[in-house]
C-alpha cells in the first residue's frame, strides 16, 4: 500500500512539475507537511546533497524519500511514478512536435504558468530562509534568530551573485563554517 | 543488433547522469558532448529545440531529454533505456547516502555542517529564483500572477497543482483577450 501511495504522490509531481530542477520543490515541500515522510530541514539537506551529487533533484528526492518510507522498493516506485508521465507525454508530443510548439494557446498557457512557478518556488525559498536562520519553533521571532547563521547568510548571498561559482563550492564553504562556528 | 543499440543508449545516458551535478541546466554541456559530438544522434539545433521543449513539458528536464533522444533513436524501448540510464547513477548514489546519513547526522560536527549547508542552499535557491524571475516576469500581468502564486503557497497552503492549472488557464484567457484587441 505504501508503494502505491509513493507511486501516486510522485506521479503527481512528475505530471505537474514543469520547468525542471527547482520546480519539484513546491510539491516536495507540501509532501513533507502532508505525510511527515521527511522534515523541511531534511528537504534542505537533500537539496544540498542533490547539488553535490549526480542526477536531478526530483529523482534524488524520489530515491531518498522512497528509501526512508519503504526501503529500496519505495525508492523504485517513487522514481517510477516520477518518470512515467514524462515518458507518456513526451512520446505523445513527439507525434506532432512542430504543431505543439507553434500553438498560440500553448504559448499563452506558458506565459501564465512560468511566473506562477517562480512564485511557488519563491514561497519555498522564503521557508528555506526561515529554517536556515531561525532556530526551533520559538514564537518570539527575534529570540529565535540564529545570529551565526544570519552572518553566514549575509556573506553567502552576495558571494553567489558576484562570483557565480559551482553550487558545490558554496556548500563546502558553508559546511566548514558550520563546523568551525558550531552552528 | 537491437540489444547493442539499446545498451549504447543506456551507457551514453549513464555517463550523462553520472557527470551531471544538480540536474537541469547543468546537464547541457554533457548532453552536447555525448549525443552530438560522440554519437552524432542529433545536431546542435535539434539539441537546443529538444532542450527548450523539455523545459516546457511536465517532469524533470533530464528525463524529458532522455525520452526525446531515446525515442528518436529506438522508439519506446529507446526512451525507456535512456530514462534508466540517466536515473540509475543517482539512484545508487542517493541510496548509499540515505543509508549512511541517518547513522552520521547525530554527530555534532555533521549536524553543524548541515546547519551551515542549509544557509548555503537557501542562498542558492534565491539566486536560481532570481534568474527565473527575470525570464518569466516581464510585465504587470505576469508580475500579478507571480504575487498571487507566491501568496497562495505561502499563506494559504494551496496545492501547487491548482496554482499551476489556474495560472495556465489565466494565461490562455488573457492571451485571447489581447489577440482580439
Amino acid at each position: 500500500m505504501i508503494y502505491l501511495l509513493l507511486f501516486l504522490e510522485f506521479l503527481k509531481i512528475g505530471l505537474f512539475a514543469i520547468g525542471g530542477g527547482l520546480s519539484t520543490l513546491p510539491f516536495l515541500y507540501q509532501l513533507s507537511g502532508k505525510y511527515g515522510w521527511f522534515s523541511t530541514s531534511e528537504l534542505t539537506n537533500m537539496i544540498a546533497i542533490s547539488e553535490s551529487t549526480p542526477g536531478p533533484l526530483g529523482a534524488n528526492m524520489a530515491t531518498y524519500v522512497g528509501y526512508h518510507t519503504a526501503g529500496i522498493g519505495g525508492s523504485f516506485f517513487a522514481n517510477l511514478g516520477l518518470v512515467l508521465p514524462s515518458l507518456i507525454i513526451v512520446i505523445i508530443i513527439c507525434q506532432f512536435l512542430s504543431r505543439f510548439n507553434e500553438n498560440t494557446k500553448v504559448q499563452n498557457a506558458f506565459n501564465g504558468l512560468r511566473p506562477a512557478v517562480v512564485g511557488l518556488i519563491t514561497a519555498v525559498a522564503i521557508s528555506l530562509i526561515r529554517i536556515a536562520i531561525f532556530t526551533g519553533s520559538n514564537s518570539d521571532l527575534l529570540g529565535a534568530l540564529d545570529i551565526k547563521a544570519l552572518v553566514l547568510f549575509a556573506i553567502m548571498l552576495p558571494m553567489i551573485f558576484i562570483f557565480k561559482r559551482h553550487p558545490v563550492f558554496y556548500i563546502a564553504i558553508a559546511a566548514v563554517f558550520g563546523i568551525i562556528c558550531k552552528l | 543488433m537491437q540489444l547493442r543499440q539499446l545498451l549504447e543508449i543506456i551507457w551514453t545516458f549513464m555517463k550523462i547522469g553520472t557527470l551531471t551535478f544538480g540536474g537541469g541546466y547543468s546537464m547541457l554541456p554533457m548532453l552536447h558532448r555525448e549525443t552530438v559530438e560522440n554519437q552524432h544522434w542529433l545536431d546542435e539545433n535539434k539539441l537546443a529545440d529538444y532542450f527548450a521543449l523539455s523545459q516546457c513539458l511536465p517532469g524533470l528536464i533530464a528525463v524529458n531529454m532522455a525520452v526525446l533522444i531515446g525515442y528518436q533513436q529506438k522508439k519506446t524501448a529507446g526512451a525507456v533505456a535512456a530514462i534508466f540510464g540517466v536515473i540509475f547513477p543517482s539512484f545508487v548514489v542517493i541510496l548509499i547516502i540515505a543509508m549512511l546519513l541517518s547513522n552520521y547526522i547525530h554527530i555534532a560536527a555533521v549536524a553543524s555542517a548541515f546547519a551551515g549547508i542549509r544557509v548555503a542552499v537557501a542562498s542558492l535557491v534565491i539566486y536560481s529564483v532570481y534568474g527565473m524571475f527575470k525570464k518569466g516576469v516581464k510585465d504587470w500581468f505576469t508580475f500579478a500572477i507571480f504575487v498571487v502564486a507566491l501568496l497562495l503557497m505561502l499563506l494559504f497552503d494551496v496545492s501547487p497543482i491548482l496554482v499551476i492549472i489556474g495560472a495556465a488557464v489565466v494565461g490562455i484567457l488573457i492571451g485571447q483577450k489581447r489577440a482580439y484587441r
Side-chain angles (χ1 to χ4, degrees), chain B residues 48-168:
Chain B
D49 286 352
Y50 280 178
F51 199 71
L53 187 64
S54 292
Q55 293 174 58
C56 301
L57 295 175
L60 311 179
I61 295 178
V63 173
N64 291 341
M65 284 303 282
V67 177
L68 282 166
I69 297 171
Y71 186 78
Q72 180 202 291
Q73 291 309 114
K74 278 259 144 265
K75 297 292 164 197
T76 306
V80 173
I83 290 184
F84 175 78
V86 85
I87 295 275
F88 189 73
S90 83
F91 188 81
V92 173
V93 171
I94 297 298
L95 220 49
I96 293 169
I97 289 176
M99 288 170 183
L100 295 179
L101 193 64
S102 48
N103 297 334
Y104 292 105
I105 196 75
H106 307 293
I107 299 169
V110 177
S112 291
F114 271 100
I117 287 171
R118 281 198 282 275
V119 177
V121 169
S123 311
L124 287 165
V125 171
I126 293 172
Y127 179 66
S128 302
V129 165
Y130 173 71
M132 295 174 78
F133 182 90
K134 279 199 299 188
K135 265 192 187 166
V137 181
K138 287 169 282 190
D139 45 25
W140 66 268
F141 151 65
T142 42
F143 183 72
I145 293 183
F146 164 80
V147 172
V148 171
L150 169 63
L151 294 179
L152 285 177
M153 176 89 187
L154 197 64
L155 301 179
F156 303 103
D157 206 24
V158 176
S159 159
I161 297 176
L162 293 178
V163 175
I164 283 173
I165 293 174

Side-chain angles (χ1 to χ4, degrees), chain A residues 18-19 23 101 106-122, chain B residues 25 52 55-56 129 132-133 135-138 142 145-146 149 163-164 167-168 171:
Chain A
I18 299 170
S23 64
N101 261 339
V106 173
Q107 280 175 358
N108 287 337
F110 279 109
N111 282 340
L113 205 148
R114 256 179 241 120
V117 172
V118 181
L120 292 176
I121 301 174
T122 306
Chain B
Y25 298 93
Q55 293 174 58
C56 301
V129 165
M132 295 174 78
F133 182 90
K135 265 192 187 166
V137 181
K138 287 169 282 190
T142 42
I145 293 183
F146 164 80
V163 175
I164 283 173

Side-chain angles (χ1 to χ4, degrees), chain A residues 37-58:
Chain A
W37 284 340
F38 50 94
S39 68
T40 322
S41 65
E42 265 182 293
L43 178 61
T44 324
N45 295 349
M46 205 51 222
I47 299 169
I49 290 169
S50 279
E51 297 275 19
S52 328
T53 56
L57 173 66

